[in-house]
């Protein structure tokens, strides 16, 4: 045993293990004293230097920075090393003509028996590759970030407690929060009406909605910062690390535009169906009206002849008067039918909407017709030029006014309101009443011919269907803007023309 120790000591001295260890370090290494003087360098550093370069006795700043002046204490790692007696490292960029290189200089204190820093070992590690990888990673990260940020879909990621980690620009716009604002005061459950967040998590954890941890596109209501409910769609996923849930992410789509387009389409389809229905009924009505008109004229003529021979007040005289009255009513219906099914092309002119309204009102100015109904006009002072058949449009306005009157039972306010939207190139007329309103179940039928809720003899049910047809012919539209037991507003829309268009077209 004793012998072994002796021979080990001997070998150790002969081979100078410590020095060999220093030389065998893979990183170029130097030893400096606390005054920053280089005392020794290892084999690998010597190899790095040009053959005749001698560093011993020089300062570390001379070697590292080719400078006689010591580095500023803020940038030099040694003050902290002396204070903490712990290793320090410094990443340095070295500009070369060919490529940028990075060195990680690691300073390790070597303490004496009094625990004071006696020497410092400085290893130089080439960090160029690490840095290049780091940059690559950063570039990929930046690219991912850009993809997420520029996505038109709203993307949100949250930790498992619901704290938002990421919200792209589209999500900030949709939910109307900035990420910071949301992080401070909210959690992911605030994106939905109460209870919905839990429901989504349940679906995510189930296998039935796109596989465990996934939720394929599902319709939901989204709640924004103002508490507004937005119809939307969500596709979501749980992010796992191993088996552990660490985060969730959701991609949201705002369905408002899509729904608006669908509604428009539905409305257009309904209008088309209505026009087709009206067209076919119109043809039929025209035929029937023609056929009935002649015999009616005959009946009326003969009834009047017979009347002349009777004594006024006699039973026959009275019966004949009834016949004549009823025949006249039939003739009015036939006339209405012919108007409704008119086939002639409309004679269009450029007119002011306000002027048309006045003209129509003057045609029915008889106050007896309106009793205690007050007529109010709210006419826009702006120019509202429309290209329509005046007579037809008068008929439209009169029909609407008469319907409004009938709905009010002799008392109330009838308002005619005109306005325009220049950007949309539309002129509008609203006819409102404070009458009984239209029950929901009748709303689908009011534009149908012969639909009436009025007592027999009071209405034929052709008014609104005629109005509908005229509006179509004149490139406009009619709809019920609102109705309730407090009253109804009908809205007429017509293409708006400018004086310039008028000159070009006439
Ligand atoms: N302003 C309104 N308020 C309440 N109900 C209305 C109003 N306008 C129309 N209606 C309802 O729509 C039905 C159809 O109207 P439309 O003008 O086509 O026929 P009518 O007025 O009954 O008969 P006609 O106009 O042929 O004399 C009416 O019977 C009524 O029930
Ligand atoms: Mg009517």
């Amino acid at each position: 045993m004793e012998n072994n120790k002796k021979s080990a000591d001997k070998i150790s001295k002969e081979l100078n293990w410590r020095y060999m260890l220093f030389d065998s370090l893979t990183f170029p290494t130097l030893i400096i004293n606390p005054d920053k003087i280089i005392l020794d360098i290892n084999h690998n550093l010597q190899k790095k230097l040009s053959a005749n370069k001698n560093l011993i006795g020089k300062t570390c700043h001379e070697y590292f920075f080719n400078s006689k002046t010591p580095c500023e204490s803020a940038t030099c790692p040694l003050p902290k090393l002396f204070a903490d007696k712990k290793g320090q490292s410094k990443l340095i960029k070295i500009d070369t003509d060919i490529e940028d290189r990075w060195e990680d200089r690691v300073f390790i204190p070597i303490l004496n028996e009094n625990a004071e820093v006696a020497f410092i070992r400085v290893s130089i590690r080439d960090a160029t590759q690490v840095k290049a990888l780091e940059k690559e990673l950063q570039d990929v990260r930046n690219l991912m970030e850009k993809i997420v940020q520029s996505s038109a879909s709203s993307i949100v990621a949250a930790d498992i407690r619901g704290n938002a980690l990421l919200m792209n620009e589209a999500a900030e716009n949709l939910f109307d929060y900035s990420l910071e604002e949301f992080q401070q005061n909210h959690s992911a459950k605030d994106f939905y009406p109460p209870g919905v967040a839990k429901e989504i998590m349940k679906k995510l954890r189930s296998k039935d909605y796109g596989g465990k941890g996934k939720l394929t596109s599902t319709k939901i209501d989204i709640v924004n910062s103002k508490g507004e409910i937005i119809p939307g769609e969500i596709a979501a996923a749980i992010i796992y690390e191993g088996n552990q849930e660490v985060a969730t992410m959701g991609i949201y789509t705002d369905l408002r535009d899509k729904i608006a387009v669908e509604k428009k389409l539905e409305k257009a389809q309904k209008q088309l169906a209505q026009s087709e229905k009206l067209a076919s009924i119109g043809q039929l009505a025209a035929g029937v009206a023609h056929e009935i008109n002649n015999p009616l004229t005959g009946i009326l003529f003969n009834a009047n002849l017979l009347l002349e021979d009777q004594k006024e007040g006699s039973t026959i005289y009275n019966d004949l008067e009834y016949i004549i009255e009823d025949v006249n009513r039939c003739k009015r219906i036939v006339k209405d039918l012919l108007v409704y099914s008119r086939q002639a092309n409309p004679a269009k002119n450029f007119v002011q909407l306000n002027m048309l309204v006045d003209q129509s009102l003057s045609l029915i100015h008889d106050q007896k017709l309106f009793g205690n109904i007050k007529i109010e006009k709210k006419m826009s002072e702006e120019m509202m030029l429309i290209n329509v058949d005046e007579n037809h449009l008068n008929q439209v306005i009169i029909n609407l006014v008469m319907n409004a009157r009938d709905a009010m039972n002799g008392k109330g306010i009838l308002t005619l309101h005109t306005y325009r939207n220049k950007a949309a190139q539309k002129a509008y007329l609203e006819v409102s009443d404070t009458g009984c309103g239209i029950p929901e179940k009748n709303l689908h039928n009011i534009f149908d011919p012969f639909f009436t809720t009025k007592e027999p003899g009071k209405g034929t049910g052709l008014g609104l269907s005629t109005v509908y047809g005229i509006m179509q012919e004149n490139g406009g539209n009619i709809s019920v803007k609102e109705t309730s037991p407090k009253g109804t507003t009908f809205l007429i829309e017509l293409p708006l023309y400018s004086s310039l268009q008028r000159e070009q077209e006439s």
Side-chain angles (χ1 to χ4, degrees):
M1 182 81 169
E2 192 54 29
N3 281 348
N4 277 354
K5 188 179 178 296
K6 272 188 186 155
S7 80
D9 276 350
K10 191 171 164 236
I11 292 168
S12 174
K13 262 185 201 141
E14 273 173 18
L15 293 180
N16 198 352
W17 281 119
R18 288 196 172 87
Y19 208 82
M20 280 173 73
L21 199 66
F22 179 49
D23 261 344
S24 71
L25 290 176
T26 16
F27 299 114
T29 304
L30 47 128
I31 305 285
I32 59 174
N33 69 8
D35 294 328
K36 304 173 188 171
I37 307 290
I38 301 171
L39 303 179
D40 209 345
I41 66 173
N42 79 344
H43 187 63
N44 269 323
L45 180 53
Q46 188 62 60
K47 261 197 343 205
K48 229 177 96 156
L49 302 171
S50 51
N52 52 3
K53 192 153 183 184
N54 189 4
L55 294 183
I56 314 293
K58 297 205 161 139
T59 59
C60 57
H61 41 91
E62 263 177 294
Y63 167 52
F64 285 136
F65 300 110
N66 209 8
S67 155
K68 291 263 182 227
T69 32
C71 307
E72 285 185 21
S73 53
T75 56
C76 176
L78 292 180
K80 192 152 173 33
L81 179 143
F82 291 132
D84 299 351
K85 305 208 167 97
K86 280 195 182 130
Q88 306 291 325
S89 82
K90 189 99 194 140
L91 198 63
I92 302 283
K93 187 177 175 192
I94 297 160
D95 297 322
T96 70
D97 293 342
I98 310 154
E99 50 154 13
D100 288 342
R101 282 189 50 247
W102 287 86
E103 266 182 19
D104 192 12
R105 295 171 186 165
V106 183
F107 296 75
I108 308 287
I110 301 171
L111 306 181
N112 63 18
E113 54 274 19
N114 299 327
E116 291 156 345
V117 178
F119 306 103
I120 299 120
R121 171 161 68 86
V122 189
S123 309
I124 304 160
R125 302 167 187 194
D126 189 344
T128 309
Q129 220 173 350
V130 176
K131 266 285 176 194
L133 282 175
E134 228 172 58
K135 188 173 172 297
E136 237 168 71
L137 200 66
Q138 193 57 42
D139 287 349
V140 172
R141 258 194 210 144
N142 289 346
L143 182 68
M144 298 276 286
E145 170 89 19
K146 267 189 203 145
I147 292 171
V148 169
Q149 278 306 336
S150 58
S151 163
S153 298
S154 308
I155 302 175
V156 174
D159 69 15
I160 216 66
R161 264 175 261 107
N163 303 316
L165 304 170
L166 175 152
M167 257 172 116
N168 72 350
E169 216 178 296
E172 289 188 325
N173 289 338
L174 173 64
F175 293 108
D176 196 30
Y177 292 108
S178 70
L179 175 63
E180 294 77 45
E181 206 183 319
F182 191 80
Q183 281 171 327
Q184 273 163 23
N185 306 312
H186 298 276
S187 77
K189 69 176 179 0
D190 298 339
F191 286 145
Y192 320 98
V196 174
K198 246 191 190 159
E199 202 52 41
I200 292 174
M201 283 314 289
K202 230 186 194 170
K203 286 185 175 170
L204 270 169
R205 288 178 180 132
S206 144
K207 286 189 294 237
D208 306 333
Y209 302 92
K212 194 171 164 8
K214 291 199 176 74
L215 175 63
T216 45
S217 268
T218 304
K219 287 216 163 85
I220 47 152
D221 281 339
I222 294 167
V223 180
N224 73 5
S225 71
K226 297 188 191 99
E228 289 165 346
I229 308 258
I230 299 166
E233 219 168 49
I234 180 179
I238 297 180
I239 299 163
Y240 293 96
E241 255 175 40
N243 281 332
Q244 189 88 16
E245 293 178 359
V246 288
T248 55
M249 69 87 89
I251 300 176
Y252 301 82
T253 316
D254 181 348
L255 292 183
R256 279 176 296 188
D257 287 349
K258 198 172 156 207
I259 290 172
V261 170
E262 279 170 3
K263 271 203 181 135
K264 247 190 187 166
L265 200 67
E266 201 183 317
K267 195 173 156 200
Q269 270 165 350
K270 268 193 191 153
Q271 279 180 351
L272 191 68
Q274 181 76 9
S275 322
E276 280 171 359
K277 196 159 67 179
L278 292 189
S280 57
I281 295 175
Q283 276 171 355
L284 186 73
V288 173
H290 264 295
E291 290 303 313
I292 291 177
N293 208 22
N294 291 341
L296 281 181
T297 313
I299 294 171
L300 195 61
F301 179 72
N302 287 310
N304 274 316
L305 275 186
L306 284 174
L307 193 71
E308 280 173 18
D309 296 341
Q310 300 302 317
K311 230 168 106 203
E312 216 178 306
S314 72
T315 320
I316 297 183
Y317 186 94
N318 287 345
D319 287 349
L320 280 170
E321 264 197 340
Y322 282 132
I323 291 174
I324 291 168
E325 197 184 307
D326 279 350
V327 172
N328 273 328
R329 210 173 92 209
C330 289
K331 281 196 78 107
R332 273 200 306 276
I333 295 175
V334 167
K335 199 176 119 228
D336 282 351
L337 266 178
L338 284 170
V339 169
Y340 162 69
S341 59
R342 81 219 155 277
Q343 257 121 44
N345 284 334
K348 288 189 182 178
N349 271 321
F350 283 96
V351 274
Q352 290 288 347
L353 179 57
N354 286 351
M355 194 212 77
L356 259 183
V357 173
D358 284 337
Q359 206 177 61
S360 306
L361 286 179
S362 71
L363 289 171
I364 43 168
H365 69 283
D366 188 352
Q367 189 56 45
K368 269 188 280 165
L369 284 174
F370 293 96
N372 282 333
I373 293 169
K374 205 171 146 211
I375 298 182
E376 279 186 2
K377 286 194 289 174
K378 287 204 282 182
M379 312 284 238
S380 161
E381 284 176 4
E382 286 171 316
M383 178 92 161
M384 282 178 295
L385 202 59
I386 50 175
N387 188 19
V388 290
D389 181 315
E390 267 176 69
N391 289 334
H392 288 174
L393 250 285
N394 281 332
Q395 230 177 332
V396 165
I397 298 168
I398 291 171
N399 266 317
L400 293 179
V401 168
M402 288 318 214
N403 279 351
R405 178 204 64 169
D406 292 347
M408 287 191 282
N409 217 357
K411 201 172 149 223
I413 301 170
L414 196 162
T415 314
L416 291 134
H417 177 201
T418 59
Y419 56 99
R420 72 173 197 191
N421 180 338
K422 211 174 169 193
Q425 293 217 310
K426 288 251 168 86
Y428 301 95
L429 164 66
E430 284 181 14
V431 180
S432 310
D433 60 63
T434 54
C436 57
I438 305 169
E440 167 90 39
K441 66 174 174 29
N442 290 350
L443 271 176
H444 301 295
N445 307 108
I446 55 168
F447 294 106
D448 288 350
F450 304 112
F451 176 83
T452 180
T453 56
K454 292 170 191 170
E455 290 168 31
K458 287 231 166 124
T460 53
L462 283 173
L464 284 181
S465 52
T466 307
V467 166
Y468 191 93
I470 293 177
M471 291 315 293
Q472 298 282 299
E473 277 173 8
N474 286 278
N477 193 31
I478 174 152
S479 56
V480 177
K481 189 179 174 196
E482 56 189 1
T483 182
S484 76
K486 287 187 178 159
T488 304
T489 299
F490 276 88
L491 172 70
I492 279 183
E493 301 167 47
L494 280 161
L496 181 71
Y497 281 80
S498 65
S499 326
L500 192 72
Q501 279 170 305
R502 171 204 200 155
E503 273 167 34
Q504 284 167 351
E505 292 198 15
S506 50

